[in-house]
Amino acid sequence: MKYSGILVGSALSLLAWSCGNNTSEGGQKGTAAGPDILAANLDTTVNPAQDFFDYANGGWIKSNPIPDEQKSWGIAYLVQEDLYNRLKTINEQALKQADNAIAKKIAAFWSSGMDTVALKQQGVEQLQPEMQLIDNIKTKEDVLNVIAQLNRKGFSPLFNGYVAQDDMNSEKMAFNLHQGGLGLPNRDYYFNTDERTRKIREAYPAHIETMLGLAGIADGKNKSAAIFKLETSLAKVSRKLEDLRDPYKNYNKYAVSGLQKLTADIDWKKWLTEAGINNLDTVIVGQPEFFTAINNALKTESIDTWKDYLKWQVIRSTAPFLNPQLEDARFDFYGKTLSGVKKQKPRWKRVLDEEEDAMGEALGQLFVKEYFNEKAKKRYNDMVEDIREALKDRIKKLTWMSEPTKAKALDKLAKMRKKVGYPDKWKDFSAMNIKAQSYVRNVIAAREWWYNYEIAKLGKPVDREEWSMTPQTYNAYYNPSNNEIVLPAGIFTVPGKRDEELDDALVYGYAAASTIGHEITHGFDDQGAQYDAEGNLKNWWTKDDEKNFKARTEVMINQFNKYIAVDDLHVNGKATVGENIADLGGVLLGWDAFVKKEQYKKGEKIAGLNPGQRFFLGYSLGWLYNTRKESLAQQILTDVHSPAKYRVNGPFSDVDAFYEVFKVKPGDGMYIADSLRVRIW
């Protein structure tokens, strides 16, 4: 699913490689290749003023049930189907290109993942190096040393350590320590009392027991109970989803020597050395109380429990790559019970998913040569500037913001970097030890390479040209530390259509509003607005402006808190407020840019729809999803994005132009009184 968003850290339809052939403003070709996609998706039995999402997408949803192997089904999956087939071809061709270094690694990874005969014959013995490390643990100090060594292999048991730009100094790379160590998605699964979450929690220890048994570990019932108890103690001191969104509260810088104040019994200097991290002066701790709790748990939990816990973390992380029995058992819980998925994807798609994580940019190098050209890159570069200009005009006209803050906002907007399509400089994967070996060892080799790649950034200048997504990704992000938007080629794709077949109204809704405008607005949402033009966490607002901004975001929080996503679960307005601000900003900016286009001025209809209607339907196409109840419930607890339905109905209810285009009036389901609508950017 497309979850374009802010990065604190899309498949390119293969029918769209010539998408740089931009149509002239007066010469749209909306019906040139088959039925108009917007008209075809409509459910005309629904009043658009009552429920726009159901009106725009209901026809498609009624005719396209969710496949058994998916937790949801919609636009990203349609695009992804094209992508899978093209990437499969690239892998199969790589098997014949022994003289190409990139192709050779791709072929080795693909072959190991697709060798079902070997996979059926292998088991946990493939994890012997990791299991031996754990078996050798004798003291509490050994527990931490082994965690450090497992980190170097790409595992993250107990807590997360990662490298990122320092929020307070974007010119420096910093090492961060963050809460983690849970086998369930987040802390709420350990404590919420609703029936759905309770059933998942009750099924979890039995799942651990099953997995331990398949791994040949005896006394699984008692061990799973002890593991669950340990995880519950970690969950108790873990912060909630909405609390993790405050960058100031989750930024706590310590000198390495000062970490002893948090954890008197942990020798962090030694741990960092074991983790391959040298000459480090400071560490940024996200949630100090979590690490104090770890210190206490190391004193109270038995060595045997720690060993069992670490084995469980390793097995859970690698089960999909070991053998069918472990993979199926893992899917039974994480796929069926947790997400409501009825069956797994075909193996070849699962291997491609893992290959994307392992070396997706290597695939991307082969991918863009065929499927995304310079003309396409120019079209969307130009569209970014249309949206930038629209926000510039809006900032200048704001009545609630003072001139000094406006000046800084305009400076930040002007300095915002854009990355479109694919990187100009590719990562070098030559040192990644992918070869003719078992699938799980290739996966671990890739994870180990990524760990070393990230750790090597410490003490070096920040590489502001790096991408954190691959060109073939159906997603996008805003990175506050770089003050940049990153728009991979795949995010602009409409499945089954060439770009030149799409009219401006559809494209300005689908791409300019739901993606480009969304990402630019992330620079000015409740999180992004806390970073300055250089990417530093620094307050650039006057006190009155900050107060006005927060009051306006509260209106949005209250609006989304009222939406019921599934059963009696409401959308978490506080956790999702950043994405909701970006959605609303995207719609407004996309509309402002579109009304300057010739198509809007002419007002001619396509497939019975006028330009204004097509714009809002184009945006809604970007959120064409049907989602299982189990997955919706999981999303509410774990995701900072609202469900797809409310990413359409929510922002549209705050957009005056929507009321005019669709004649929304008091009493309609989409109606919010003018005085109660969200007014931010």
Side-chain angles (χ1 to χ4, degrees), residues 195-206:
E195 183 180 8
R196 189 184 301 278
T197 308
R198 179 178 55 77
K199 286 182 176 180
I200 291 170
R201 179 168 61 248
E202 290 172 352
Y204 181 52

Side-chain angles (χ1 to χ4, degrees), residues 357-391:
D357 286 343
M359 48 179 172
E361 200 170 287
L363 281 170
Q365 293 179 51
L366 303 179
F367 191 83
V368 298
K369 287 180 181 179
E370 298 189 47
Y371 306 131
F372 195 77
N373 60 28
E374 286 294 333
K375 288 183 179 179
K377 199 167 186 174
K378 183 181 185 305
R379 179 183 188 183
Y380 292 105
N381 265 310
D382 292 344
M383 197 174 290
V384 170
E385 296 311 317
D386 286 349
I387 298 299
R388 194 195 304 262
E389 191 65 25
L391 181 53

